[in-house]
Amino acid sequence: MERILIVEDDQPIAELERDYLELSGYAVEMATDGKTGLELGLTGQYDLILLDVMLPELSGLEVCEQLRAKMDQPILMVSAKKEDIDKIRALGLGADDYISKPFSPSELVARVKAHLSRFKRLTHVEAGEKNQAHFISAHHIRLDTLAHKVFVLDQEVVFTTKEFDLLKFFIEHPNQVFSKDDLFELIWGMEALSDTTTVVVHVRRLREKIEFDSNKPRLIETIWGTGYRFNGE
């Protein structure tokens, strides 16, 4: 049974999240402050962490940053703060998703399922393939799709799960234009729900890691009014 940690100081919200997730078959534990949430998260015993932004002891953003430095499991931020800048900060610190309050419990469960499913596909290797290295390459970038590693100019660069997913998708679909809504649905596994900030932030972070000059990107091109295209030439 997959285990989920909820870090939330609002007890009614935490209990609502727990009840819906338990009904969906997950084992759930809760923490009510950032310090405890960080300590529990660092044990590595959880498959996914739901993390509120506004927490006592340590903020959710501080917890997210420290967790991401040590673990790859999905981190979903939950907050009543809806401004784009807050989402950009959370995603920039390594969060995989950002859910604004109030939210639909069914939407929460759907996002949890989508993130767990994609993370499981990345980390569980089929029998007989465990000792084989599977690489895909483009330009000066090389991806080991089984070890979940990225090499830029033969130097390993750390990527979050969703950054890896997005880069892999771009490389496997060169010279094709995808809208932000398309990318959100294809990579995050759900409809964009009129919120494409996640895609914008992840593209920016990819450019910072793979482009020679992220201010003048040559690999991930912006097609104004349409979306993005990975230059396969």
Side-chain angles (χ1 to χ4, degrees), residues 3-8 17 21 29 31 37-52 55 60 63-64 67-68 71-78 95-97 99 108 112 115-116:
R3 303 183 65 191
I4 295 174
L5 174 64
I6 296 173
V7 188
E8 169 66 71
E17 293 173 348
L21 290 168
E29 292 187 37
L38 177 61
E39 292 172 351
L40 290 173
L42 288 174
T43 65
Q45 298 178 4
Y46 304 97
D47 299 288
L48 180 144
I49 296 175
L50 278 175
L51 182 60
D52 188 38
L55 291 169
V63 174
C64 176
L67 288 175
R68 182 53 73 220
M71 53 170 276
D72 294 324
Q73 286 86 345
I75 300 173
L76 278 62
M77 304 295 293
V78 181
D96 293 282
D97 205 351
I99 305 173
L108 174 70
V112 166
H115 284 286
L116 284 171

Side-chain angles (χ1 to χ4, degrees), residues 20 73 91 109 124 177 188:
Y20 272 84
Q73 286 86 345
L91 295 167
V109 172
H124 287 70
V177 179
W188 280 262

Side-chain angles (χ1 to χ4, degrees), residues 2 18-27 105-106 109-110 112-113:
E2 290 166 312
R18 178 198 62 195
D19 291 346
Y20 272 84
L21 290 168
E22 287 183 342
L23 285 171
S24 299
Y26 300 110
S106 58
V109 172
V112 166
K113 287 181 176 179

Side-chain angles (χ1 to χ4, degrees), residues 144-200:
D144 183 336
T145 61
L146 294 187
H148 193 234
K149 293 183 178 182
V150 180
F151 300 88
V152 180
L153 294 172
D154 293 326
Q155 297 294 316
E156 184 177 355
V157 179
V158 177
F159 281 67
T160 67
T161 300
K162 282 295 176 287
E163 289 172 356
F164 184 92
D165 285 352
L166 185 58
L167 179 59
K168 180 173 179 288
F169 180 83
F170 274 136
I171 291 176
E172 291 178 336
H173 300 83
N175 305 317
Q176 299 180 48
V177 179
F178 296 93
S179 71
K180 296 169 188 174
D181 287 347
D182 289 338
L183 290 170
F184 193 93
E185 186 170 353
L186 289 164
I187 304 303
W188 280 262
M190 59 200 81
E191 293 183 358
L193 303 173
S194 300
D195 180 7
T196 55
T197 304
T198 297
V199 175
V200 174

